[in-house]
Amino acid sequence: MTAVALATPARARVSLLLGGFGVAVVLRLLVGGPGPGRSPAAGLVFAAALLAMAVAAGTRVPVTARALTAGLAGVVLLCLPVAALRAGTPLHGVAGMGSWVVVVTVVATAEEVFLRGTLYDAVCALSGDRAAIAVGALAFALLHVPLYGWHVVPLDLVVGVVLGELRRATGTAAAPAVTHVGADLVGWFLR
Protein backbone atom coordinates (compact mmCIF):
# COMPACT_ATOMS: atom_id res chain seq x y z
CA MET A 1 0.00 0.00 0.00
CA THR A 2 1.20 3.48 -0.79
CA ALA A 3 1.39 6.35 1.67
CA VAL A 4 -1.53 8.03 -0.14
CA ALA A 5 -3.70 4.93 0.26
CA LEU A 6 -2.87 4.78 3.97
CA ALA A 7 -3.53 8.49 4.46
CA THR A 8 -6.98 8.44 2.89
CA PRO A 9 -8.73 6.51 5.73
CA ALA A 10 -6.87 8.67 8.27
CA ARG A 11 -8.08 11.87 6.56
CA ALA A 12 -11.60 10.49 6.39
CA ARG A 13 -11.49 9.66 10.10
CA VAL A 14 -10.35 13.17 11.03
CA SER A 15 -13.02 14.66 8.76
CA LEU A 16 -15.72 12.49 10.31
CA LEU A 17 -14.62 13.40 13.83
CA LEU A 18 -14.57 17.13 13.04
CA GLY A 19 -17.98 16.83 11.40
CA GLY A 20 -19.33 14.98 14.44
CA PHE A 21 -17.84 17.64 16.67
CA GLY A 22 -19.62 20.32 14.64
CA VAL A 23 -22.91 18.44 14.97
CA ALA A 24 -22.37 18.18 18.75
CA VAL A 25 -21.81 21.96 18.98
CA VAL A 26 -24.97 22.62 16.93
CA LEU A 27 -26.97 20.26 19.18
CA ARG A 28 -25.71 22.19 22.19
CA LEU A 29 -26.86 25.45 20.64
CA LEU A 30 -30.27 24.06 19.67
CA VAL A 31 -30.93 22.58 23.11
CA GLY A 32 -29.55 25.63 24.91
CA GLY A 33 -31.63 28.19 23.05
CA PRO A 34 -30.66 31.81 23.72
CA GLY A 35 -28.32 30.88 26.59
CA PRO A 36 -26.50 27.67 25.65
CA GLY A 37 -23.60 28.40 28.02
CA ARG A 38 -26.00 28.50 30.97
CA SER A 39 -28.05 25.44 30.01
CA PRO A 40 -27.18 22.27 31.94
CA ALA A 41 -29.25 20.21 29.48
CA ALA A 42 -27.36 21.64 26.51
CA GLY A 43 -24.03 20.93 28.17
CA LEU A 44 -25.01 17.36 28.97
CA VAL A 45 -26.30 16.69 25.43
CA PHE A 46 -23.01 18.04 24.09
CA ALA A 47 -21.01 15.88 26.51
CA ALA A 48 -23.04 12.78 25.62
CA ALA A 49 -22.40 13.33 21.90
CA LEU A 50 -18.66 13.74 22.45
CA LEU A 51 -18.45 10.70 24.70
CA ALA A 52 -20.47 8.61 22.23
CA MET A 53 -17.94 9.44 19.50
CA ALA A 54 -15.05 8.64 21.85
CA VAL A 55 -16.55 5.28 22.79
CA ALA A 56 -17.30 4.46 19.14
CA ALA A 57 -13.68 5.28 18.28
CA GLY A 58 -12.39 3.04 21.08
CA THR A 59 -10.65 5.89 22.87
CA ARG A 60 -8.75 4.85 25.96
CA VAL A 61 -7.78 7.33 28.68
CA PRO A 62 -5.27 5.77 31.05
CA VAL A 63 -5.23 7.48 34.44
CA THR A 64 -1.74 7.54 35.91
CA ALA A 65 -0.14 9.29 38.87
CA ARG A 66 2.00 11.24 36.38
CA ALA A 67 -1.09 12.41 34.49
CA LEU A 68 -2.85 13.47 37.69
CA THR A 69 0.22 15.38 38.90
CA ALA A 70 0.68 17.06 35.51
CA GLY A 71 -3.03 17.91 35.45
CA LEU A 72 -2.84 19.58 38.85
CA ALA A 73 0.26 21.51 37.75
CA GLY A 74 -1.77 22.64 34.73
CA VAL A 75 -4.48 24.01 37.05
CA VAL A 76 -1.87 26.11 38.83
CA LEU A 77 -0.37 27.27 35.53
CA LEU A 78 -3.74 28.40 34.16
CA CYS A 79 -5.23 29.83 37.35
CA LEU A 80 -2.26 31.53 39.03
CA PRO A 81 -2.18 34.53 36.64
CA VAL A 82 -5.92 35.14 37.11
CA ALA A 83 -5.63 34.75 40.88
CA ALA A 84 -2.72 37.22 40.91
CA LEU A 85 -4.75 39.75 38.90
CA ARG A 86 -7.64 39.37 41.31
CA ALA A 87 -5.51 39.60 44.47
CA GLY A 88 -7.41 41.49 47.13
CA THR A 89 -10.76 40.98 45.39
CA PRO A 90 -13.31 38.91 47.31
CA LEU A 91 -13.81 35.38 46.02
CA HIS A 92 -17.19 34.29 44.69
CA GLY A 93 -19.09 32.15 47.21
CA VAL A 94 -20.34 28.59 46.89
CA ALA A 95 -24.05 29.45 46.66
CA GLY A 96 -25.52 27.80 43.56
CA MET A 97 -22.43 25.75 42.90
CA GLY A 98 -23.85 22.25 43.60
CA SER A 99 -25.34 21.01 40.33
CA TRP A 100 -23.03 23.30 38.35
CA VAL A 101 -20.03 21.28 39.59
CA VAL A 102 -21.50 18.06 38.24
CA VAL A 103 -22.35 19.51 34.83
CA VAL A 104 -19.00 21.30 34.45
CA THR A 105 -17.09 18.18 35.45
CA VAL A 106 -18.97 16.02 32.94
CA VAL A 107 -18.71 18.57 30.09
CA ALA A 108 -15.03 19.45 30.64
CA THR A 109 -14.09 15.78 30.93
CA ALA A 110 -16.04 14.89 27.76
CA GLU A 111 -14.35 17.74 25.86
CA GLU A 112 -10.92 16.48 26.87
CA VAL A 113 -11.67 12.82 26.18
CA PHE A 114 -12.80 13.82 22.70
CA LEU A 115 -10.43 16.70 21.82
CA ARG A 116 -7.26 15.46 23.53
CA GLY A 117 -8.14 11.78 23.24
CA THR A 118 -10.14 10.78 20.15
CA LEU A 119 -9.41 13.74 17.87
CA TYR A 120 -5.80 14.05 19.06
CA ASP A 121 -5.12 10.38 18.26
CA ALA A 122 -6.66 10.68 14.79
CA VAL A 123 -4.84 13.90 13.83
CA CYS A 124 -1.58 12.65 15.35
CA ALA A 125 -1.74 9.46 13.27
CA LEU A 126 -2.22 11.60 10.16
CA SER A 127 0.11 14.56 10.80
CA GLY A 128 1.89 14.27 14.15
CA ASP A 129 1.69 15.80 17.63
CA ARG A 130 2.03 19.45 16.62
CA ALA A 131 -0.91 19.21 14.23
CA ALA A 132 -2.95 17.33 16.85
CA ILE A 133 -2.27 20.07 19.39
CA ALA A 134 -3.13 22.82 16.89
CA VAL A 135 -6.35 21.21 15.64
CA GLY A 136 -7.51 20.49 19.20
CA ALA A 137 -6.71 24.04 20.32
CA LEU A 138 -8.58 25.55 17.39
CA ALA A 139 -11.63 23.32 17.93
CA PHE A 140 -11.56 24.17 21.65
CA ALA A 141 -11.45 27.92 20.94
CA LEU A 142 -14.16 27.82 18.29
CA LEU A 143 -16.58 25.76 20.38
CA HIS A 144 -16.64 28.55 22.96
CA VAL A 145 -17.45 31.35 20.48
CA PRO A 146 -21.24 30.79 20.43
CA LEU A 147 -21.23 30.48 24.21
CA TYR A 148 -19.09 33.49 25.17
CA GLY A 149 -18.24 35.48 22.03
CA TRP A 150 -15.24 35.99 19.74
CA HIS A 151 -13.22 37.78 22.41
CA VAL A 152 -12.50 34.41 24.09
CA VAL A 153 -10.66 32.97 21.05
CA PRO A 154 -7.11 34.19 21.89
CA LEU A 155 -7.29 32.96 25.49
CA ASP A 156 -8.94 29.67 24.51
CA LEU A 157 -6.31 29.05 21.83
CA VAL A 158 -3.57 29.41 24.45
CA VAL A 159 -5.46 27.23 26.92
CA GLY A 160 -6.04 24.68 24.15
CA VAL A 161 -2.31 24.55 23.40
CA VAL A 162 -1.52 24.07 27.11
CA LEU A 163 -4.07 21.23 27.30
CA GLY A 164 -2.64 19.68 24.13
CA GLU A 165 0.90 19.88 25.48
CA LEU A 166 -0.25 18.13 28.64
CA ARG A 167 -1.68 15.35 26.47
CA ARG A 168 1.55 15.11 24.47
CA ALA A 169 3.75 15.09 27.57
CA THR A 170 1.75 12.47 29.47
CA GLY A 171 0.38 10.36 26.63
CA THR A 172 -3.16 10.51 27.99
CA ALA A 173 -6.17 12.82 27.98
CA ALA A 174 -6.40 12.35 31.75
CA ALA A 175 -3.92 15.18 32.40
CA PRO A 176 -5.76 17.82 30.35
CA ALA A 177 -9.07 16.58 31.81
CA VAL A 178 -7.80 17.20 35.35
CA THR A 179 -6.52 20.63 34.31
CA HIS A 180 -9.73 21.60 32.52
CA VAL A 181 -12.03 20.49 35.33
CA GLY A 182 -9.78 22.00 37.99
CA ALA A 183 -9.45 25.33 36.17
CA ASP A 184 -13.21 25.53 35.69
CA LEU A 185 -13.80 24.82 39.39
CA VAL A 186 -11.21 27.37 40.51
CA GLY A 187 -12.66 29.79 37.96
CA TRP A 188 -15.99 29.69 39.82
CA PHE A 189 -14.34 31.40 42.79
CA LEU A 190 -12.26 33.82 40.71
CA ARG A 191 -15.10 35.22 38.60
Side-chain angles (χ1 to χ4, degrees), residues 147-164:
L147 305 176
Y148 309 114
W150 284 99
H151 68 281
V152 301
V153 170
L155 175 62
D156 281 345
L157 280 172
V158 171
V159 170
V161 168
V162 169
L163 295 170

Side-chain angles (χ1 to χ4, degrees), residues 7-84:
T8 302
R11 280 194 183 102
R13 181 176 182 161
V14 169
S15 295
L16 283 171
L17 290 171
L18 289 171
F21 182 71
V23 168
V25 171
V26 169
L27 281 173
R28 185 177 195 174
L29 297 176
L30 291 173
V31 172
R38 294 182 307 276
S39 169
L44 293 173
V45 165
F46 177 66
L50 295 182
L51 291 174
M53 287 187 289
V55 168
T59 303
R60 299 173 75 45
V61 182
V63 178
T64 64
R66 181 171 180 244
L68 296 175
T69 302
L72 291 173
V75 173
V76 172
L77 176 69
L78 293 180
C79 294
L80 195 56
V82 177

